[in-house]
């Protein structure tokens, strides 16, 4: 039976941890556990068999880290490892009537804007894995343990476009209901559901008890089958072994509570063994699938970390558009992406909820520019985007690299336009904005525009786009040319809202074209339209008059959160313009503007000493970023962009000091950091290095898979003031402990901080570490304490 038919009526029992069981075998795992598919196939098959005998209905191939990047240095290629891995899983599963999945994990490199790997490169690496797994005969693609929505997006597109296999996808969340990279549960669900995955959910990082509230939240956002694959609690050290702190009964009890919510795809992750899962599977073997209660349909769009629900009036910012904007046109012609990024940040700070992005301009490659602009904007701005173009190829290119669920602006009632664009909207899981015009142009009457809206809705639904993802623009015409233009538009909005129940939008400022005191007309018209059912006015949020009219309307109508928003915005309010302004160095660092940060630093150097700028501008700005990161106000992408901006400021400082022999500036430290022996995961270590260097610490990075002796030698030779050790896998924590012991055995009593996904503060103490750094910002606080 096809696995998709199976999960319609049955509970699908997954397997547990491959690495945990391999760790307890007598085989040396080494740097490349996936190579065991070729060197020790009987051991890998033995793990699969143990889970199947425990009751698993699906086993994941031993290919979690089988990307070309992670296998760099291995004697076997990505294709060889995956072919062998899928073959091993298939060989065993055939005896049990089970399924074999191609397992795909993270690539081990940070994607843009946090790292140097492009979205396109990530897609190509995942495509290689998918093609190899499909050729080997996998029953489905199982993408797991992702923390970056951009990376899982690349993996899903690669799976959908390079095979016909079902696709399951899970991400790893922390207790704040965000991933390490800042992705929210709602953003994951909206994005992956839209891309057409067959099931989605959560795995790793936490135990089943901690995952229960996450399951409740996730159910609000998707009707897809939900996957839950928790760890066996949290890791701890018993003797010289890493174990997890939950019993089989505790695991089973918590998982049964999760399944009562309608979850029917369940298994285990780190620390779970065949023995642990056998008890759980015994209890659910004859259990019937509990149907999920249908949740209310939600109109929403998202970026990687911010979800905007259209449950009250939302502002779409109109400023990223060359029409009538000479400076914007110049920025497009010269490729000045920083200028465009500033427009995005200014609108976000002014109160926009969504940003319209239009880069159509003669003399440029609009498709290439759209890709570059979207990547730039989403590196500094967390708002969802509306991709605006009359060219279908441009829209598809933008949707492909957009990290979230976007709005497409726009289709209309023309058959050719509907036929060409709606399949693209469906493929990328976007919402679509429909203009009420067709081959005959813009109708004069409200009824005619309503008829086109009906046609757009019907065609969208025929293409699989649900009603809550169809928005209608009833079109605003200038009252200077047509005296009843406002009345017909308002009547059309009301018809669409009352009879179709769709969300509506309008380009408000068109109403006043050719008239004096345009802002007055715009504000009055927008208020009338909101009363008739306008949900998303497209306006300039930098206009105090327009923005404040929205806040006042929402407060008077008693819309969701309006009272708090109004008081928060206007308590102690004094009238002042929200127009573009000059950015201070601190502003540039917080916003992540690298080019502007360097310029601002150079300007300060004209009147201030370099060390004064470091101590009173750069470091305080980084501290503010760090505090907001710790408070969950910003996430890793913003932290990394701010670090890059600060780096450009430090470059200007260094150049000034080098040119002036009277100035001296010594870095603090040194700090020796390394990913320990046997572990090739260095994302966390690299982030720590970047952040520490921006606080003027000298960081000596020994790389990954570093032997304890190398750490000891470097710490002694360099006179290290602090040592930082990183490990991602439970199998390599022992190397971390050995490194700490060897440092002490050689009389090097330098403080040691440790970090990594498998560690906790108690765990760190048990292996002899002095400090536990739960993230990069924590490493800075430790360095301040030790070094100053």
């Amino acid at each position: 039976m096809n696995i998709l038919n199976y999960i319609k009526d049955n509970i699908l029992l997954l397997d547990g941890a491959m690495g945990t069981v391999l760790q307890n075998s007598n085989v040396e795992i080494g740097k490349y556990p996936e190579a065991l598919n070729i060197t020790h196939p009987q051991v890998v098959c033995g793990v699969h068999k143990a889970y199947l005998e425990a009751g698993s209905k699906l086993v994941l191939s031993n290919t979690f880290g089988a990307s070309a990047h992670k296998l760099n240095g291995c004697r076997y290629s990505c294709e060889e490892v995956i072919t062998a891995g899928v073959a091993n899983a298939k060989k065993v599963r055939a005896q049990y009537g089970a399924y074999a999945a191609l397992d795909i994990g993270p690539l081990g490199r940070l994607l843009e804007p946090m790292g140097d790997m492009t979205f396109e490169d990530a897609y190509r690496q995942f495509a290689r894995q998918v093609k190899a797994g499909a050729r080997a005969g996998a029953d489905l693609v199982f993408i797991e343990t992702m923390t970056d929505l951009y990376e899982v997006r690349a993996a899903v597109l690669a799976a959908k476009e390079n095979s016909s296999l079902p696709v399951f996808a899970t991400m790893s969340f922390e207790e704040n209901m965000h991933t390490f990279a800042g992705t929210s549960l709602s953003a994951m669900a909206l994005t992956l559901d839209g891309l057409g995955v067959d099931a989605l959910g959560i795995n790793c990082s936490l135990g089943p008890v901690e995952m229960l509230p996450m399951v409740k939240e996730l159910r609000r956002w998707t009707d897809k089958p939900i996957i839950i694959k928790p760890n066996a609690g949290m890791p701890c050290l018993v003797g010289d072994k890493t174990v997890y702190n939950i019993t089989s009964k505790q695991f089973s009890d918590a998982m049964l509570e999760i399944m009562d919510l309608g979850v029917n795809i369940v298994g285990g992750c780190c620390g779970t063994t065949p023995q642990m899962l056998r008890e759980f599977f015994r209890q659910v073997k004859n259990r019937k699938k509990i149907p999920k209660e249908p949740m209310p349909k939600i109109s929403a769009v998202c970026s990687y970390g911010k979800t905007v629900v259209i449950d009250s009036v939302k502002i779409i910012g109109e400023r990223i558009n060359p029409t009538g904007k000479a400076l914007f046109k110049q920025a497009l012609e010269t490729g000045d992406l920083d200028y465009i990024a500033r427009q995005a940040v200014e609108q976000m700070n002014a109160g926009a909820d969504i940003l319209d992005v239009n880069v159509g301009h003669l003399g440029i490659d609009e498709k290439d520019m759209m890709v570059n602009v979207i990547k730039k904007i989403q590196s500094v701005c967390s708002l969802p985007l509306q991709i605006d173009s009359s060219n279908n190829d441009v829209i598809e290119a933008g949707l492909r690299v957009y990290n979230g669920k976007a709005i497409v602006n726009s289709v209309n009632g023309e058959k050719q336009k509907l036929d060409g664009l709606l399949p693209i909207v469906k493929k990328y899981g976007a919402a679509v904005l429909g203009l009420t015009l067709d081959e005959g142009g813009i109708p004069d009457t409200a009824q005619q525009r309503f008829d086109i809206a009906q046609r757009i809705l019907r065609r969208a639904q025929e293409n699989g786009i649900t009603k809550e993802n169809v928005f209608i623009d009833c079109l605003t015409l200038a009252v200077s040319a047509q005296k009843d233009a406002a009345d017909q538009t308002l009547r059309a909005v009301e018809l669409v809202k009352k009879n179709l129940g769709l969300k509506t939008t309008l380009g408000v400022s068109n109403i006043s074209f050719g008239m004096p005191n345009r802002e007055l007309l715009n504000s009055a018209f927008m208020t009338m339209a909101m009363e008739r059912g306008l949900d998303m006015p497209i306006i300039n949020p930098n206009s105090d008059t327009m923005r404040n009219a929205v806040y006042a309307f929402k407060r008077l109508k008693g819309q969701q959160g309006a009272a708090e928003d109004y008081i928060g915005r206007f308590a102690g309010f004094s009238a002042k313009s929200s127009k573009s302004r000059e950015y201070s160095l601190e502003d540039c660092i917080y916003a992540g503007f690298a080019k502007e940060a360097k310029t601002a630093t150079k300007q300060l150097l004209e009147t201030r000493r370099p060390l004064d700028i470091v101590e009173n501008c750069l470091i305080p700005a980084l501290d503010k970023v760090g505090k907001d990161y710790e408070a969950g106000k910003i996430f890793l992408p913003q932290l990394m962009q701010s670090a890059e901006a600060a780096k450009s400021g430090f470059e200007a400082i260094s150049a000034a000091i080098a040119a002036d022999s009277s100035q001296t500036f010594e870095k603090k430290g040194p700090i020796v950091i390394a990913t320990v022996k046997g572990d090739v995961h260095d994302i966390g270590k690299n982030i720590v290095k970047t952040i520490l260097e921006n606080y003027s610490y000298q960081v000596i990075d020994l790389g990954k898979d570093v032997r304890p002796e190398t750490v000891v030698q470097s710490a002694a030779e360099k006179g290290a003031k602090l040592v930082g050790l990183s490990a991602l896998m439970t199998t390599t924590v022992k190397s971390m402990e050995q490194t700490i012991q060897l440092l002490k055995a050689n009389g090097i009593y330098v403080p040691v901080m440790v970090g990594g996904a498998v560690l906790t503060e108690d765990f760190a103490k048990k292996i002899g570490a002095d400090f536990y750094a739960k993230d990069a910002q924590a490493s800075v606080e430790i360095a301040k304490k030790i070094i100053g």
Side-chain angles (χ1 to χ4, degrees):
M1 181 189 298
N2 178 283
I3 194 167
L4 298 184
N5 290 328
Y6 182 86
I7 62 176
K8 286 179 182 178
D9 302 308
N10 299 284
I11 294 170
L12 179 63
L13 302 178
L14 309 176
D15 59 9
M18 172 66 70
T20 298
V21 181
L22 288 176
Q23 184 182 7
N24 294 327
S25 70
N26 295 321
V27 177
E28 179 65 33
I29 296 177
K31 288 169 57 177
Y32 309 104
E34 293 78 15
L36 296 176
N37 288 314
I38 298 172
T39 62
H40 294 79
Q42 71 282 0
V43 174
V44 176
C45 287
V47 177
H48 292 319
K49 183 176 181 180
Y51 281 117
L52 290 167
E53 288 184 343
S56 297
K57 188 68 175 178
L58 179 146
V59 289
L60 302 180
S61 60
N62 179 35
T63 55
F64 178 80
S67 65
H69 172 67
K70 280 191 173 180
L71 290 176
N72 184 31
C74 180
R75 60 185 295 188
Y76 305 109
S77 70
C78 158
E79 287 78 7
E80 289 172 321
V81 169
I82 287 176
T83 299
V86 172
N88 290 335
K90 285 177 61 184
K91 178 180 178 181
V92 181
R93 73 98 158 97
Q95 306 168 37
Y96 295 87
Y99 301 96
L102 167 66
D103 189 24
I104 293 180
L107 295 173
R109 284 177 63 187
L110 285 172
L111 268 67
E112 55 188 348
M114 294 183 288
D116 60 356
M117 189 174 203
T118 67
F119 178 82
E120 293 80 4
D121 284 343
Y123 172 88
R124 284 189 283 270
Q125 288 220 24
F126 286 127
R128 284 183 63 180
Q129 296 178 72
V130 169
K131 290 175 183 175
R135 285 195 299 267
D139 297 312
L140 71 151
V141 176
F142 201 116
I143 302 162
E144 64 169 344
T145 324
M146 294 288 184
T147 58
D148 183 355
L149 187 63
Y150 215 22
E151 186 171 16
V152 73
R153 182 182 182 87
V156 170
L157 283 172
K160 302 287 285 185
E161 294 177 348
N162 293 280
S163 79
S164 58
L165 297 175
V167 180
F168 290 6
T170 60
M171 299 187 74
S172 296
F173 290 83
E174 306 194 12
E175 288 190 79
N176 63 2
M177 295 197 185
H178 286 78
T179 70
F180 167 70
T183 299
S184 63
L185 282 160
S186 56
M188 175 191 75
L190 290 169
T191 302
L192 299 188
D193 199 333
L195 288 174
V197 300
D198 299 289
L200 58 88
I202 308 167
N203 82 295
C204 206
S205 293
L206 302 168
V209 174
E210 294 81 8
M211 283 190 186
L212 180 60
M214 297 183 187
V215 177
K216 293 177 180 178
E217 172 67 12
L218 183 57
R219 286 186 65 254
R220 295 180 53 223
W221 299 99
T222 182
D223 287 328
K224 292 288 177 71
I226 291 177
I227 307 163
I228 299 297
K229 208 167 180 277
N231 290 348
M234 302 303 291
C236 57
L237 199 65
V238 176
D240 62 351
K241 287 189 175 182
T242 303
V243 299
Y244 285 77
N245 67 351
I246 196 170
T247 66
S248 296
K249 184 177 186 309
Q250 290 170 327
F251 184 89
S252 297
D253 289 347
M255 289 299 289
L256 288 171
E257 193 171 354
I258 285 173
M259 292 178 71
D260 286 340
L261 298 173
V263 174
N264 72 308
I265 305 178
V266 290
C269 204
C270 299
T272 58
T273 63
Q275 293 75 20
M276 172 172 278
L277 292 184
R278 181 179 287 110
E279 170 62 21
F280 169 48
F281 290 165
R282 183 187 62 77
Q283 295 188 52
V284 300
K285 182 177 181 180
N286 298 315
R287 183 183 174 117
K288 297 297 182 183
K289 176 183 174 181
I290 299 176
K292 288 191 298 181
E293 292 183 12
M295 303 298 288
K297 299 295 184 182
I298 298 174
S299 291
V301 292
C302 69
S303 63
Y304 74 90
K306 182 176 181 62
T307 297
V308 173
V309 180
I310 322 295
D311 57 356
S312 62
V313 175
K314 305 297 180 186
I315 295 173
I316 299 179
E318 67 178 5
R319 298 295 298 166
I320 304 175
N321 189 315
T323 304
K325 303 180 184 72
L327 289 177
F328 196 97
K329 290 177 181 178
Q330 183 181 346
L332 291 175
E333 292 165 0
T334 60
D336 187 356
L337 299 182
D338 292 313
Y339 174 85
I340 298 172
R342 286 199 301 273
Q343 300 302 307
V345 171
E346 286 174 7
Q347 290 183 95
M348 177 177 67
N349 292 341
D353 300 292
I354 300 165
L355 299 181
D356 187 82
V357 179
N358 185 316
V359 295
H361 182 53
L362 292 176
I364 68 166
D365 184 332
E366 185 184 357
K367 180 178 175 180
D368 186 59
M369 182 59 71
M370 179 64 81
V371 169
N372 292 334
V373 165
I374 286 177
K375 287 185 175 184
K376 181 65 176 181
I377 290 174
Q378 65 189 15
S379 74
V380 297
C381 174
S382 61
L383 297 184
L385 301 183
Q386 176 170 278
I387 300 173
D388 185 354
S389 175
S390 59
N391 186 313
N392 290 358
D393 290 339
V394 172
I395 286 176
E396 179 162 19
L399 285 173
R400 189 169 186 83
V401 300
Y402 177 62
N403 191 11
K405 176 185 175 182
I407 304 172
V408 168
N409 183 9
S410 54
V411 297
N412 57 47
E414 297 177 21
K415 183 179 186 304
Q416 183 178 2
K417 191 71 173 177
L418 291 167
D419 290 345
L421 193 53
L422 289 179
I424 296 172
V425 173
K426 172 60 179 174
K427 175 182 177 179
Y428 293 99
V432 64
L433 191 160
L435 306 178
T436 54
L437 61 86
D438 59 13
E439 292 85 351
I442 303 174
D444 292 329
T445 70
Q447 183 60 50
Q448 289 171 317
R449 294 184 206 179
F450 172 77
D451 292 340
I452 295 174
Q454 276 189 309
R455 187 191 317 158
I456 293 170
L457 174 60
R458 183 176 67 251
R459 291 299 308 280
Q461 290 176 320
E462 289 170 357
N463 278 271
I465 301 168
T466 56
K467 182 177 179 179
E468 63 271 13
N469 289 311
V470 179
F471 309 148
I472 295 296
D473 186 337
C474 293
L475 298 172
T476 307
L477 301 179
V479 292
S480 59
Q482 187 175 337
K483 65 178 183 179
D484 67 340
D487 182 59
Q488 291 299 324
T489 296
L490 295 173
R491 289 179 58 197
V493 168
E494 190 169 33
L495 285 171
V496 168
K497 175 62 63 176
K498 288 185 176 180
N499 295 291
L500 299 180
L502 300 180
K503 303 299 181 183
T504 61
T505 184
L506 287 173
V508 173
S509 61
N510 292 339
I511 198 71
S512 63
F513 184 77
M515 299 290 286
N517 200 353
R518 294 188 62 186
E519 201 166 56
L520 176 63
L521 282 176
N522 293 343
S523 176
F525 172 69
M526 181 179 66
T527 302
M528 295 168 70
M530 289 188 292
E531 180 62 28
R532 304 288 277 272
L534 174 61
D535 298 290
M536 293 175 286
I538 303 175
I539 62 172
N540 176 9
N542 295 328
S543 163
D544 294 323
T545 300
M546 299 299 292
R547 185 186 68 249
N548 294 345
V550 172
Y551 278 88
F553 175 83
K554 291 171 67 173
R555 178 65 188 95
L556 293 172
K557 295 292 287 187
Q559 292 188 353
Q560 184 73 27
E564 296 84 352
D565 289 346
Y566 187 87
I567 293 170
R569 179 164 290 272
F570 297 115
F573 174 77
S574 60
K576 58 182 179 180
S577 173
S578 298
K579 304 295 183 185
S580 297
R581 57 182 175 80
E582 291 296 320
Y583 282 81
S584 68
L585 175 57
E586 293 88 337
D587 291 334
C588 294
I589 291 173
Y590 194 87
F593 292 154
K595 180 179 176 182
E596 287 85 348
K598 179 170 282 190
T599 300
T601 303
K602 289 179 178 178
Q603 291 173 347
L604 289 174
L605 284 166
E606 295 175 1
T607 57
R608 297 172 65 173
R609 292 171 62 84
L611 295 185
D612 174 41
I613 298 170
V614 171
E615 293 172 359
N616 295 301
C617 298
L618 282 166
I619 297 301
L622 284 170
D623 283 342
K624 174 175 169 51
V625 172
K627 288 175 182 176
D628 282 358
Y629 176 75
E630 289 292 312
K633 294 179 181 179
I634 63 171
F635 296 96
L636 186 62
Q638 295 102 310
L639 182 69
M640 296 299 289
Q641 287 300 112
S642 293
E644 286 301 310
K647 180 180 178 182
S648 69
F650 275 112
E651 287 172 354
I653 294 287
S654 298
I657 291 174
D660 184 355
S661 58
S662 67
Q663 297 282 331
T664 58
F665 178 58
E666 293 184 5
K667 287 199 171 186
K668 297 164 286 188
I671 302 172
V672 171
I673 64 172
T675 299
V676 298
K677 174 67 178 172
D679 204 317
V680 296
H681 301 89
D682 61 354
I683 285 179
K685 171 185 67 64
N686 293 342
I687 294 171
V688 167
K689 176 186 177 183
T690 299
I691 303 302
L692 285 172
E693 286 180 335
N694 277 288
Y695 275 88
S696 302
Y697 292 105
Q698 178 191 1
V699 180
I700 299 167
D701 183 3
L702 302 181
K704 56 191 176 184
D705 188 30
V706 180
R707 299 170 67 246
E709 294 81 3
T710 304
V711 176
V712 171
Q713 181 181 353
S714 180
E717 291 179 353
K718 304 296 183 180
K721 300 291 194 299
L722 179 65
V723 170
L725 303 176
S726 174
L728 181 69
M729 304 184 296
T730 56
T731 54
T732 56
V733 172
K734 187 62 180 173
S735 294
M736 185 178 278
E737 184 180 25
Q738 290 170 348
T739 303
I740 294 170
Q741 291 174 346
L742 193 60
L743 282 165
K744 294 176 180 177
N746 282 270
I748 302 173
Y749 296 102
V750 58
V752 177
M753 63 179 177
V754 297
V758 296
L759 295 173
T760 63
E761 189 158 3
D762 288 342
F763 205 131
K765 289 178 181 177
K766 287 184 178 179
I767 64 174
D770 300 285
F771 299 97
Y772 165 62
K774 66 182 180 68
D775 54 38
Q777 194 60 35
S779 72
V780 172
E781 300 307 317
I782 294 168
K784 287 179 180 179
K785 182 182 295 186
I786 299 301
I787 302 172

